[in-house]
Amino acid sequence: MDASNSTHVACPHCAALNRIPSARLAEDPVCGRCGQALLDGRPLALTDADFERVVARTELPVIVDLWAPWCGPCRSMAPAFEQAARELKGRALLVKVDTDANPHTAARFQVRSIPTLLKLQQGREVARLSGAMPAAQIVRWAGV
Ligand SMILES: [Zn+2]
């Protein structure tokens, strides 16, 4: 398999870097080291401790939902984000960061209101959207 036809995905469980043939990204790839799911179509909860090592080394676009438990619009958007994760399975990695428990990540991106969605390419912000929105809009905005 040519390198251009594969995509690196960092395992959120053990941090191993996996090379997945691009054609198989939507076929429930598992980590070559720990055997756990890499891209299972569900939002992945990340913390200040593991955010960087997962998103910076994952070549898929990463969509980050910055939220907090006390935020009503954030909670009401959660099902839409889960649906978007299913629809974008294999094309983007959707992650959630609780900004109360993980203030470093929120500060790093200078997030002033929640919910805020970030689109990252290998750890670098390329787009941002604030406010709750339905799944179809999240998918369209993700643009992948
Ligand atoms: Zn692993």
Side-chain angles (χ1 to χ4, degrees):
M1 183 65 69
D2 185 292
S4 64
N5 292 325
S6 65
T7 300
H8 280 123
V9 178
C11 176
H13 311 289
C14 75
L17 196 57
N18 288 261
R19 177 177 287 226
I20 313 293
S22 297
R24 309 195 65 164
L25 284 169
E27 297 175 7
D28 297 310
V30 297
C31 176
R33 182 194 289 172
C34 72
Q36 298 193 68
L38 289 172
L39 301 167
D40 62 1
R42 287 183 297 180
L44 179 68
L46 293 180
T47 67
D48 281 350
D50 59 13
F51 184 87
E52 190 62 31
R53 76 172 187 209
V54 174
V55 305
R57 298 189 304 157
T58 293
E59 291 176 333
L60 283 176
V62 177
I63 308 298
V64 187
D65 175 15
L66 295 141
W67 71 288
W70 49 263
C71 162
C74 300
R75 291 198 309 271
S76 62
M77 189 174 80
F81 196 71
E82 287 170 12
Q83 184 183 334
R86 287 192 293 274
E87 294 185 22
L88 294 170
K89 180 178 173 180
R91 293 187 282 150
L93 176 67
L94 274 69
V95 309
K96 291 176 73 88
V97 175
D98 176 342
T99 55
D100 269 12
N102 303 286
H104 175 79
T105 300
R108 180 189 147 193
F109 291 104
Q110 300 185 314
V111 173
R112 308 204 187 286
S113 67
I114 52 173
T116 285
L117 296 182
L118 303 176
K119 180 179 179 181
L120 308 179
Q121 292 279 5
Q122 296 191 261
R124 295 184 53 187
E125 178 181 347
V126 295
R128 166 182 302 223
L129 196 59
S130 291
M133 64 200 73
Q137 194 176 343
I138 297 171
V139 169
R140 203 161 46 238
W141 174 78
V144 295

